[in-house]
Structure formats: structure tokens, C-alpha cells
């Protein structure tokens, strides 16, 4: 149903497709950096006499304020909420910046800004942006165009995101050279905090768009309102898809041309020319596009506020004609018609009342107001006679016993002749673009509810008593009346349980199974179906699934063991529960192993935000049903593997700073454990993907189908060894009885061949490698220097060190180039000689260090791993 699809996609959550990949999270905002001479080869100097002149200007301005008898009244209410309240002088700067912006435009909806005074990267002063962007809301003046939430609320004249913040702004509390004040001038070694805060709020209020760059292509999900006014040197709009495909390398070339302008009617009128944007030949994420040009608008220029950098000693406390004028045309100074979009109705016995509220920041022509109606046709006829109450205008369409389809839109003009309509860009009679007109029916309803739901439940454990269902989305042209499920255990008595609506979400409904403790037994099968009914006089019903039932199994655990070793040559079907895995021997392998589907599928089952919709993921699981009691000494897992799953973005870490999984990591594999019989799970180590091994990455990138999915195939020649320390995560301890789960996580983007596992060893004995062959007897005296052989190496590295004491405990292992432990063992050395061999066959090529820590010294020796 058209309306449902539109509303599900209202929120901006994606950038653009790239080789089958949809990056599903937006970076909220752009950043401003301190000027450094090396940065982009630019130089930003203070003009001669700048500091003295600025002091005089500010002193004169202060004197004028003292003499003034009245104060400019703020026309917008900007509300600051601090994550942690900063020092009083810092807080005063934020408040002054908010007060400055509040006089630039009007809004009858408070603008909520969430401020973080926190650590950032060394040369980053601040970053900010809208918490969300919305499109096609009532009051918008551009169709299929994203607006930052604060601007959207101003134009819609209503709160669109509840109690959530409209802007998130973060400023670097670790920066030691802040000038904290609002009237003075920083010295030549200080950065003016007030200027930076003013700049960042500008991004959050609308000086930002939707275009992003990936792999030499630029693109966007839908343009932002800022983007709609970007033109090149030939005055061609960058959002003109006839000139620049979306996404494309051609659009990227424009963004690095140095010749992109922000051109709106008000900018041209008030600034005298279009505003030149910062588009250097080398694209700089976070700086390019959504700043004004660094070279043209030098220190002291009226438009310098929104340059990507700020010099020490620079004061930029004016909004400037480019920003203020552009904001006017974006919608901060606008006229809006707020007319309700009506649902279908079966009420043919009453007149239908159409109402609209008119808001304008300028003068508008009341006589121009029209309601255009098309009843059972595509011909729109104007209505110009209304009942008025304040700024609300109403018209009653007489009742009729005839079934009617009604299309409509509202139209008015400002005194200047400029028109404004709702929905945006109405009317478009042909085609299917949402927003061309509103439409509803007055007739008996035969339309079934539109329902989006997928069932990822395949298993639960006997330990679980509360099992939430995935979110269900439902909408109807009349309205939803009832949603419930019917379920049974082992085809027993049917139990009915209703869904509840998710607070704050129009179309989301949730439910859960609640089982009495001890009710479920291993092998139980739970079947269920979902029934959705609308409010029609003759109820329209949707049943999911259309026939039969969803079902899932209850898993029981076996007796705990001290270890588990498995070659999979004889499939251990009773030891494992498999979802998306199987015991098989695919082409390219000589023995049976534990394999994911080849290829595995894109995510399709659960939504990331828990609100349903199309941004989904799927987990394939192989669960060992035999718990293992954790040992204190050799708590290790070993296995052979091949991992050809979609690699994440270059340099992406697995976890965000808040501990959540980074969406830019895309697909991944990991090993998880539960110490409460399957109720809760934790990763033993961070997930990994094809980036872990050059061999795997090359295989993944060896070919792609038309949808951007990898056609590379895994073979036994690609096998690498994996070693996992069960205790390294800090989530578990010796004596815990752990259930282990091998998981492949797939999102909605591209996919690949998958994961293969063989020769699994959990806490079992490990064969000691044969000692290296020697040509002569070893000397009886040993070097006191750390000896590492062979070096370079590809599979093993042997270390040898004479210690100062006969009996000593040491720590030895492999350290990465950034100082992180990759392998680490505590060793009790007897006889004064440390000899140890490490398996480095799973490490990518590169530089590493062998490190030994004794009671007295730390020894390091560099090694080169080759592939």
C-alpha cells in the first residue's frame, strides 16, 4: 500500500547503493578542524592588525548594547540539554550561541540541542548535525527532499520526533587552547569556542545535506534541501540526474572540481553572488561540500563562519549573508499550508470537512486560498469559499450515498505572487510520485491491512521463560482494530495473546511468549500464527503465515564436559543445533566440515532498530549443545577456518565507543558463549571478516555478480588457524559452564561464499610441534638476548631467551604494530631457559613484535610475517 511504504521510509537512514551495498547509518553532521599548515595545503592567516581591529569592533558593539533600551526578542526557542554540565563559563558560551541563532529565524516549535562536552580527536574542535532528517511531511515545499528535523518541525508547525533531541553537538573538552568568552578576542594561540559552537549549530540547523562519497562515486538516498541549491560552474544543478547520475563518478568529479556554488534567490539578492562551496580536488570527508570555500572567505570575511577550519586568534561571530539567506530559502522563512491527509472512511452518512491552517513569515493573499478537489476523476476543481476560525479555513463536502474516490490539494499565494501548496509540488496528475495530491475513499472498505513481519525464531532454550517476537508493522486505510497471535506447544491447547502498540511509533506492534518456569522441555515444538484485523464494518483480516504456522524448537543441553574435540568426519548431528549451517564437504574440500550456506543470503529476518522495516539482518548459528566447564589454565578454542564474508569499510573497527557493533563492519563471523544456559550471549572476541586475511580478501574480491555479491569460492588451500582465549573477553571465569555458538551475521547488503570450520578443539590437548632440525648440538651457554627464528616467517616463530633466575614466571606473546596483544601466554619457566613456539599462520602479512615480560625486563624483537 502506497501510504505504508512512504511512511516506513520517511526517516533518513541510508546513503546510497555501492556494488550491492547499502550503508545504513548516517554520520550526524560535519566537523570543523583547527587550521594546521599541513592540512590540505591551505594557509589561513590573520590579516595584519586583525586582533586590534576586532577588539575595537567588539568594544563598539558592547557600548551600543549598553545604550540600547530594548533588546531583540528571540523568535525561536533553542533549548540546550547538556550530557554533563560543563563549567559555567563554557555553558555561557553555548547559551550565547543559541541566543544568537534564535534571532535569525522564527519557529513555533522548540529546537532541542543535546550538547556533549567530551573528548574528540586531537585536531577536531567539534562536530554537529541533525539527529534525523525527514521528507514528505505536511508543510514541506520540496518533494522527496530531506530536511533536518528542526527545520522540518518549523515548516510542519508541529513536533515530529517527540522528546528526542533535534541536534546533537559535541565539542572537544580536551582541547587546551580554547578561548572561552563571548565578547573578548582570543590571543594568537587560542581558538574561539564561541565561533566554533556557532559554526556547529549552523550544521545542525541546516547547513548540511545528504551527499556522501564511496569508492570514487558520489550519491545520495534522496537529496537534502541544501543539495537542491548546489550548482556547478555551468549553472547545472548537481541534483539533476539527467546530467549527473546517482550515484556516479561524474557526480564525484563535480564535488572535487573546486567550482560548486550554493545558489538560492535570497543568496543571489543579499550576497551579490552565489556562495562558493569548499570542494577541494582531494575529497575530505567531514569538510568537503557542506562548508563555504576556505580560500575565498578568509579571516574577517562576513561569510567566514562556515569555512571548514578556523585559525588561532580568529573570531567569526556573525552568521553572514550566505548562511542567513540560504536558510530563508531552505524554509526557515516560508509560508506553509498544514492540511490533514485523510484516511479512507466508510461514513457515507456525514458531510466531509476539509481543513487547513495557514502560516506565513511574510504577507500572503487570503483571496488566493483554494482547495482543489477531484471526485471520481482526475480533473481538479477549485473551492474558494471557506469558514474561517483564526488561521484555520474549512470546507464541508456534502454527503453522498455514492461511493467516492477523492483527490485533493491546497493552494495559496504570498503577496509577492510566490505560490505555496500542500502536499509539496502539487499537483502531479500523472505518474505515481507521492505528494502530488492527497487521496482517500468514502466507500465500503474491502482493503486488507498491510502487514510486514518475518519470523526469525527457529530455536529457544529450556531456560528461557520470556521470548520476544520481532516487531510487526501494520497499517490500514481505515485503521487497525486488533492484532493477536495464537500458539500451542506440541499441538496442544491453543493460547491467544494480543500485540501491543510501540509507544511513539505509528505502525509498530510487539508481543512475546511468556512461559512458566519448567514448562518447556527439550524437543518441544511451538507453533504460532498472527491475525491482523482492521476496523471495517465487514472486517478485513490478514493471517500470517497465509497457511499453516510458524514454528520453532526448544533446545535442551547435554551434560557438561571438560573439553570437546571434533573433526566432523562423522557428522555430530546430536551435538549441534544448526540454523543456516550444515555438515558437508563442498567442492574444493577433501573432508567434511561445519559450513554455512554457500553462498549465504542477505539479511532478511530481524530489523536493526527493532522497529521493523527493510533494514534487516539474519544470523546463521551453529550451537554446541554440550556445555564446557571452563579451565583456569588452558581455556582455549582452536579450529581451522575459511571466511569469505563481505568485508566492512576500510579501517572500520568492530565496536563503536559505546560497545555496540559498528554498522560499517557489515557482515562478520564470531564465536559467542552463554553462562546461563542460553538466555544471554557474549562475543568471546570481536567479530572478523574477509579483511582478516589477504588470501580471503583476494578470493572475496575475485568476482562479483550483477547485484554486487561476491562470486569467489572458498577452498581448503585458504584454511587459516584460529585460536581464541575463552577468558580474554572478561565476561567469563574458570568454573563457568559455557554453551558455545558459532555465528555468521549478514546484513541487507552484499554477500559472499561464507564460513567453513573444521578440526574444532575446545580445551582439548594440543599436539606439541616437532622441534626444528638442527645441524649440530646446541651450545651449553645461552644468549641473554631474545632470539627469534625464523624471521621473516609465514607459519611459526620460535623464541629463545636465557633468564637470570632458574625458576621464573614470564609473559610472552605476539604484539601488533599498535602495541596490542594478539597472542599472549603466562609461562612458568624452570631451568633458566625460555623456549616457546607461536603459531602465526592466521596473521595477515605485516610487521609484528615478539615480546617477553620478566620480573626485571621487557624484551622486544620485530618480526616480519609474509604470505
Amino acid at each position: 500500500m502506497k501510504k505504508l511504504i512512504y511512511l516506513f521510509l520517511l526517516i533518513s537512514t541510508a546513503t546510497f547503493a555501492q556494488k550491492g551495498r547499502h550503508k545504513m547509518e548516517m554520520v550526524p553532521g560535519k566537523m570543523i578542524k583547527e587550521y594546521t599548515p599541513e592540512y590540505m595545503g591551505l594557509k589561513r592567516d590573520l590579516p595584519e592588525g586583525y586582533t586590534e581591529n576586532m577588539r575595537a569592533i567588539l568594544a563598539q558593539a558592547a557600548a551600543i548594547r549598553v545604550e540600547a533600551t530594548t533588546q531583540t526578542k528571540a523568535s525561536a526557542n533553542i533549548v540546550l540539554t547538556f550530557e554533563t554540565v560543563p563549567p559555567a563559563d563554557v555553558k555561557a558560551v553555548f547559551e550565547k550561541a543559541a541566543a544568537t541563532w534564535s534571532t535569525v529565524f522564527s519557529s513555533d516549535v522548540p529546537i532541542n540541542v543535546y550538547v556533549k562536552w567530551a573528548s574528540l580527536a586531537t585536531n577536531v574542535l567539534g562536530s554537529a548535525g541533525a539527529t534525523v532528517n525527514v521528507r514528505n511531511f505536511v508543510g514541506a515545499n520540496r518533494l522527496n527532499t530531506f530536511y533536518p528535523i528542526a527545520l522540518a518541525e518549523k515548516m510542519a508547525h508541529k513536533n515530529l520526533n517527540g522528546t528526542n533531541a533535534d541536534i546533537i553537538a559535541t565539542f572537544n573538552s580536551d582541547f587546551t587552547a580554547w578561548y572561552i568568552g563571548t565578547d573578548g578576542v582570543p590571543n594568537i594561540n587560542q581558538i574561539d569556542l564561541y565561533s566554533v559552537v556557532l559554526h556547529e549549530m549552523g550544521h545542525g540547523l541546516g547547513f548540511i545535506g545528504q551527499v556522501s562519497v564511496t569508492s570514487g562515486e558520489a550519491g545520495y538516498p534522496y537529496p537534502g534541501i541544501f543539495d537542491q541549491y548546489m550548482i556547478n560552474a555551468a549553472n547545472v544543478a548537481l541534483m539533476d540526474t539527467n546530467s549527473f547520475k546517482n550515484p556516479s563518478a561524474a557526480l564525484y568529479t563535480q564535488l572535487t572540481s573546486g567550482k560548486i556554488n550554493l545558489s538560492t534567490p535570497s543568496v543571489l539578492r543579499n550576497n551579490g553572488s552565489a556562495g562558493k562551496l569548499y570542494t577541494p580536488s582531494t575529497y575530505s570527508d567531514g569538510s568537503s561540500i557542506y562548508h563555504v570555500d576556505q580560500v575565498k572567505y578568509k579571516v574577517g570575511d562576513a561569510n567566514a563562519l562556515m569555512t571548514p577550519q578556523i585559525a588561532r586568534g580568529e573570531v567569526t561571530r556573525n552568521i553572514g549573508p550566505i548562511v542567513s539567506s540560504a536558510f530563508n530559502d531552505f524554509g526557515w522563512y516560508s509560508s506553509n499550508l498544514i492540511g490533514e491527509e485523510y484516511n479512507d472512511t466508510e461514513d457515507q452518512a456525514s458531510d466531509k470537512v476539509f481543513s487547513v491552517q495557514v502560516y506565513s513569515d511574510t504577507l500572503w493573499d487570503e483571496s488566493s486560498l483554494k482547495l482543489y478537489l477531484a471526485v471520481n476523476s482526475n480533473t481538479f476543481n477549485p473551492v474558494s469559499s471557506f469558514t474561517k476560525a483564526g488561521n484555520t479555513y474549512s470546507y464541508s463536502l456534502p454527503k453522498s450515498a455514492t461511493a467516492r474516490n477523492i483527490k485533493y490539494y491546497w493552494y495559496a499565494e504570498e503577496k509577492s505572487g510566490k505560490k505555496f501548496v500542500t502536499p509539496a509540488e502539487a499537483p502531479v496528475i500523472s505518474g505515481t510520485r507521492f505528494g502530488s495530491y492527497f487521496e482517500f475513499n468514502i466507500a465500503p472498505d474491502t482493503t486488507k491491512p498491510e502487514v510486514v513481519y518475518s519470523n526469525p525464531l527457529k530455536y529457544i532454550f529450556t531456560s528461557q521463560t520470556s521470548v520476544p517476537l520481532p516487531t510487526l508493522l501494520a497499517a490500514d486505510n481505515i485503521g487497525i482494530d486488533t492484532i493477536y497471535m495464537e500458539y500451542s506447544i506440541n499441538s496442544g491447547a491453543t493460547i491467544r495473546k494480543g500485540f501491543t502498540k510501540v509507544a511513539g511509533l505509528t505502525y509498530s506492534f510487539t508481543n512475546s511468549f511468556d512461559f512458566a518456569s519448567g514448562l518447556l522441555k527439550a524437543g518441544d515444538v511451538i507453533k504460532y500464527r498472527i491475525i491482523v484485523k482492521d476496523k471495517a464494518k465487514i472486517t478485513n483480516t490478514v493471517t500470517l503465515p497465509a497457511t499453516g504456522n510458524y514454528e520453532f524448537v526448544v533446545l535442551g543441553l547435554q551434560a557438561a564436559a571438560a573439553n570437546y574435540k571434533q573433526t566432523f568426519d562423522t557428522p555430530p548431528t546430536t551435538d549441534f543445533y544448526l540454523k543456516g549451517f550444515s555438515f558437508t564437504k563442498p567442492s574444493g574440500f577433501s573432508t567434511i566440515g561445519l559450513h554455512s550456506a554457500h553462498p549465504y543470503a542477505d539479511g532478511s529476518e530481524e530489523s536493526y532498530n527493532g522497529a521493523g522495516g527493510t533494514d534487516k539482518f539474519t544470523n546463521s548459528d551453529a550451537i554446541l549443545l554440550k556445555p564446557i566447564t571452563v579451565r583456569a589454565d588452558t581455556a582455549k578454542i582452536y579450529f581451522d577456518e575459511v571466511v569469505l564474508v563481505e568485508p566492512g569499510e576500510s579501517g572500520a573497527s568492530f565496536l563503536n565507543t559505546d560497545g555496540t557493533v559498528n554498522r560499517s563492519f557489515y557482515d562478520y563471523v564470531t564465536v559467542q558463549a552463554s553462562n546461563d544456559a542460553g538466555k544471554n550471549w557474549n562475543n568471546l572476541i570481536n567479530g572478523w571478516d574477509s579483511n582478516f586475511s589477504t588470501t580471503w580478501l583476494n578470493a572475496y574480491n575475485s568476482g562479483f555478480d550483477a547485484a554486487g555479491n561476491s562470486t569467489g569460492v572458498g577452498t581448503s588451500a585458504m584454511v587459516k588457524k584460529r585460536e581464541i582465549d575463552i577468558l580474554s573477553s572478561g565476561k567469563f571465569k574458570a568454573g563457568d559452564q559455557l554453551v558455545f555458538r558459532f555465528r555468521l551475521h549478514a546484513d541487507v547488503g552484499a554477500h559472499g561464499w561464507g564460513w567453513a570450520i573444521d578440526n574444532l578443539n575446545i580445551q582439548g590437548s594440543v599436539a606439541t610441534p616437532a622441534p626444528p632440525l638442527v645441524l649440530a648440538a646446541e651450545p651449553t651457554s645461552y644468549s641473554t638476548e631474545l632470539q627469534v627464528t625464523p624471521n621473516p616467517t609465514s607459519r611459526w616463530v620460535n623464541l629463545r631467551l636465557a633468564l637470570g633466575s632458574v625458576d621464573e614466571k614470564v609473559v610472552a606473546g605476539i604484539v601488533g604494530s599498535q602495541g596490542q596483544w594478539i597472542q599472549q601466554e603466562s609461562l612458568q619457566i624452570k631451568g633458566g631457559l625460555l623456549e616457546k613456539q607461536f603459531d602465526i599462520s592466521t596473521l595477515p602479512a605485516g610487521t609484528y613484535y615478539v615480546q617477553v615480560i620478566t620480573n626485571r625486563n621487557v624484551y622486544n624483537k620485530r618480526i616480519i610475517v609474509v604470505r
Side-chain angles (χ1 to χ4, degrees):
M1 188 165 67
K2 176 177 67 177
K3 183 190 300 181
L4 186 70
I5 293 171
Y6 150 63
L7 284 163
F8 288 172
L9 300 179
L10 182 68
I11 303 300
S12 167
T13 55
T15 53
F16 64 94
Q18 173 69 22
K19 284 190 175 180
R21 151 63 43 200
H22 294 272
K23 180 183 176 186
M24 298 309 298
E25 65 180 0
M26 270 184 44
V27 177
K30 301 297 177 182
M31 63 186 68
I32 184 170
K33 297 184 178 182
E34 178 193 1
Y35 157 70
T36 56
E38 298 80 10
Y39 184 74
M40 299 301 296
L42 299 175
K43 190 173 183 180
R44 190 165 182 82
D45 291 329
L46 299 180
E48 185 177 351
Y50 173 84
T51 302
E52 291 73 19
N53 291 337
M54 186 56 63
R55 287 198 180 100
I57 291 170
L58 292 176
Q60 183 179 12
I64 293 173
R65 285 198 299 273
V66 170
E67 294 173 0
T69 56
T70 60
Q71 196 171 20
T72 303
K73 183 180 180 182
S75 54
N77 181 20
I78 299 179
V79 180
L80 302 178
T81 299
F82 296 93
E83 182 178 60
T84 302
V85 178
D89 54 350
V90 174
K91 185 171 181 283
V93 171
F94 295 147
E95 292 170 342
K96 178 66 178 296
T100 298
W101 273 113
S102 70
T103 63
V104 175
F105 46 74
S106 64
S107 177
D108 51 15
V109 181
I111 300 169
N112 295 309
V113 182
Y114 189 77
V115 180
K116 297 181 180 181
W117 181 244
S119 299
L120 294 176
T122 302
N123 72 325
V124 176
L125 304 179
S127 64
T131 56
V132 72
N133 294 271
V134 296
R135 64 185 177 95
N136 295 340
F137 54 91
V138 174
N141 55 30
R142 287 287 189 118
L143 185 66
N144 288 329
T145 298
F146 278 120
Y147 291 78
I149 186 67
L151 175 54
E153 290 183 335
K154 180 269 188 303
M155 299 175 73
H157 294 272
K158 66 183 296 186
N159 186 314
L160 298 176
N161 66 339
T163 59
N164 294 329
D166 303 316
I167 298 169
I168 290 181
T170 303
F171 302 93
N172 196 345
S173 60
D174 290 342
F175 189 67
T176 59
W178 285 123
Y179 170 75
I180 300 174
T182 58
D183 296 319
V185 178
N187 63 40
I188 60 173
N189 293 315
Q190 292 178 310
I191 295 290
D192 185 37
L193 176 62
Y194 178 46
S195 299
V196 174
V197 175
L198 207 63
H199 171 109
E200 293 304 331
M201 285 188 178
H203 284 309
L205 292 165
F207 210 83
I208 201 165
Q210 297 290 306
V211 178
S212 62
V213 168
T214 301
S215 302
E217 288 190 341
Y220 46 90
Y222 289 94
I225 187 60
F226 184 109
D227 304 322
Q228 296 283 19
Y229 292 101
M230 292 194 299
I231 62 172
N232 65 8
N235 291 325
V236 177
L238 265 60
M239 300 298 102
D240 179 359
T241 53
N242 292 322
S243 299
F244 308 110
K245 291 183 179 180
N246 175 36
S248 68
L251 182 57
Y252 173 80
T253 298
Q254 293 295 313
L255 298 183
T256 53
S257 66
K259 298 178 181 179
I260 301 303
N261 292 322
L262 181 65
S263 181
T264 79
S266 295
V267 170
L268 293 174
R269 181 172 61 252
N270 298 328
N271 188 59
S273 63
K276 186 179 181 183
L277 297 178
Y278 179 66
T279 53
S281 58
T282 299
Y283 182 84
S284 176
D285 188 29
S287 295
S288 289
I289 317 173
Y290 300 119
H291 289 94
V292 296
D293 187 69
Q294 179 85 357
V295 175
K296 182 171 182 177
Y297 307 108
K298 294 180 171 60
V299 175
D301 190 283
N303 289 307
L305 177 66
M306 297 308 294
T307 57
Q309 300 171 33
I310 184 171
R312 296 195 176 213
E314 180 179 356
V315 175
T316 54
R317 298 174 181 170
N318 295 317
I319 303 302
I322 291 176
V323 176
S324 58
S325 299
F327 274 21
N328 279 353
D329 293 331
F330 291 171
W332 282 110
Y333 187 83
S334 60
S335 298
N336 310 98
L337 293 165
I338 309 302
E340 184 178 353
E341 180 188 7
Y342 301 109
N343 291 329
D344 291 352
T345 177
E346 294 182 297
D347 184 6
Q348 296 175 273
S350 303
D351 295 346
K352 182 61 183 179
V353 178
F354 295 80
S355 295
V356 70
Q357 292 177 297
V358 185
Y359 296 88
S360 181
D361 292 322
T362 185
L363 299 175
W364 73 284
D365 182 0
E366 188 175 31
S367 66
S368 69
L369 181 65
K370 302 286 190 300
L371 168 64
Y372 282 89
L373 287 172
V375 180
N376 291 334
S377 75
N378 286 327
T379 301
F380 287 87
N381 297 303
V383 173
S384 56
S385 179
F386 304 100
T387 301
K388 180 182 178 184
N391 70 332
T392 301
Y393 299 78
S394 302
Y395 165 75
S396 292
L397 178 67
K399 62 187 177 182
S400 172
T402 302
R404 289 178 290 179
N405 169 266
I406 297 175
K407 305 179 184 73
Y408 68 102
Y409 68 93
W410 293 91
Y411 173 96
E413 294 179 2
E414 296 177 352
K415 289 288 188 179
S416 65
K418 180 181 177 181
K419 72 175 183 178
F420 54 108
V421 297
T422 195
E425 300 183 29
V428 178
I429 298 175
S430 61
T432 59
R433 294 197 308 171
F434 179 88
S436 58
Y437 47 76
F438 295 131
E439 182 177 7
F440 70 101
N441 296 295
I442 305 178
D445 178 43
T446 59
T447 302
K448 289 186 176 183
E450 192 81 11
V451 184
V452 176
Y453 179 79
S454 59
N455 170 50
L457 290 178
K458 303 300 180 185
Y459 66 87
I460 62 171
F461 291 85
T462 55
S463 60
Q464 293 178 265
T465 55
S466 180
V467 181
L469 270 72
T471 298
L472 177 145
L473 301 180
D476 187 74
N477 57 323
I478 296 291
I480 296 295
D481 180 71
T482 306
I483 304 176
Y484 60 92
M485 70 172 172
E486 296 176 340
Y487 72 94
S488 64
I489 302 173
N490 297 328
S491 300
T494 298
I495 302 169
R496 174 171 168 168
K497 189 169 186 290
F499 279 71
T500 57
K501 189 172 178 297
V502 179
L505 297 176
T506 305
Y507 303 101
S508 297
F509 298 83
T510 62
N511 205 345
S512 66
F513 294 96
D514 296 301
F515 303 112
S517 179
L519 174 66
L520 300 179
K521 303 293 186 294
D524 284 351
V525 175
I526 293 143
K527 297 181 179 181
Y528 75 102
R529 64 175 188 160
I530 297 171
I531 295 91
V532 182
K533 296 183 176 182
D534 70 4
K535 293 182 178 180
K537 292 177 182 178
I538 300 176
T539 302
N540 298 294
T541 301
V542 172
T543 301
L544 298 172
T547 59
N549 294 277
Y550 300 119
E551 63 179 62
F552 55 95
V553 66
V554 179
L555 302 180
L557 299 177
Q558 302 173 16
N563 59 69
Y564 185 84
K565 298 181 73 171
Q566 182 58 252
T567 64
F568 301 108
D569 292 338
T570 300
T573 53
T574 59
D575 290 351
F576 282 84
Y577 173 81
L578 304 180
K579 173 182 180 280
F581 281 85
S582 63
F583 302 114
T584 186
K585 184 178 70 174
S587 176
F589 291 80
S590 58
T591 60
I592 296 173
L594 176 61
H595 289 256
S596 72
H598 299 319
Y600 64 93
D602 290 336
S604 62
E605 294 182 340
E606 298 180 77
S607 63
Y608 279 99
N609 62 1
T614 58
D615 182 15
K616 293 183 180 296
F617 65 89
T618 291
N619 290 317
S620 296
D621 293 327
I623 304 167
L624 178 61
L625 300 176
K626 187 184 294 294
I628 305 298
T629 303
V630 180
R631 297 176 54 167
D633 50 358
T634 56
K636 298 289 183 70
I637 300 176
Y638 306 91
F639 54 88
D640 298 336
E641 66 173 344
V642 178
V643 179
L644 301 189
V645 304
E646 182 196 18
E649 290 187 3
S650 178
S653 59
F654 181 68
L655 296 177
N656 297 312
T657 55
D658 62 359
T660 58
V661 176
N662 183 357
R663 292 295 308 283
S664 295
F665 205 84
Y666 303 153
D667 299 349
Y668 59 87
V669 300
T670 190
V671 180
Q672 300 177 324
S674 170
N675 61 1
D676 56 7
K679 291 181 181 179
N680 299 284
W681 295 85
N682 287 287
N683 293 333
L684 291 177
I685 60 173
N686 288 343
W688 63 99
D689 57 23
S690 295
N691 274 321
F692 184 83
S693 163
T694 302
T695 300
W696 296 345
L697 187 61
N698 289 341
Y700 184 92
N701 291 329
S702 62
F704 297 91
D705 63 18
N709 301 308
S710 170
T711 56
V713 175
T715 68
S716 59
M718 301 176 189
V719 165
K720 306 292 180 185
K721 293 186 177 297
R722 173 71 55 182
E723 177 182 322
I724 297 174
D725 185 338
I726 297 171
L727 300 175
S728 63
S729 70
K731 301 292 185 180
F732 308 109
K733 64 183 183 303
D736 283 349
Q737 290 188 356
L738 299 187
V739 183
F740 293 100
R741 180 166 70 183
F742 300 82
R743 167 161 286 185
L744 189 160
H745 177 94
D747 66 8
V748 295
H751 60 255
W753 178 81
W755 194 13
I757 297 170
D758 205 353
N759 299 317
L760 175 63
N761 181 350
I762 304 177
Q763 293 192 156
S765 60
V766 179
T768 303
L773 296 175
V774 296
L775 299 178
E778 292 291 331
T780 56
S781 61
Y782 303 113
S783 172
T784 57
E785 292 185 357
L786 176 62
Q787 299 175 1
V788 177
T789 58
N791 190 15
T793 181
S794 62
R795 183 170 177 80
W796 303 99
V797 62
N798 301 287
L799 63 95
R800 185 182 179 93
L801 176 65
L803 301 173
S805 60
V806 174
D807 189 353
E808 185 169 358
K809 187 173 183 178
V810 304
V811 175
I814 309 297
V815 176
S817 60
Q818 303 300 313
Q820 76 280 16
W821 283 105
I822 295 174
Q823 296 184 42
Q824 183 186 50
E825 287 191 32
S826 295
L827 305 169
Q828 188 69 41
I829 306 303
K830 296 184 181 295
L833 177 64
L834 167 63
E835 292 181 299
K836 176 66 179 175
Q837 185 178 73
F838 286 97
D839 180 358
I840 51 84
S841 61
T842 62
L843 295 182
T847 300
Y848 300 83
Y849 293 86
V850 173
Q851 185 173 99
V852 178
I853 303 174
T854 71
N855 292 334
R856 295 165 301 281
N857 294 304
V858 176
Y859 300 86
N860 287 284
K861 183 75 74 172
R862 187 178 70 167
I863 60 169
I864 306 297
V865 175
V866 295
R867 293 283 175 256

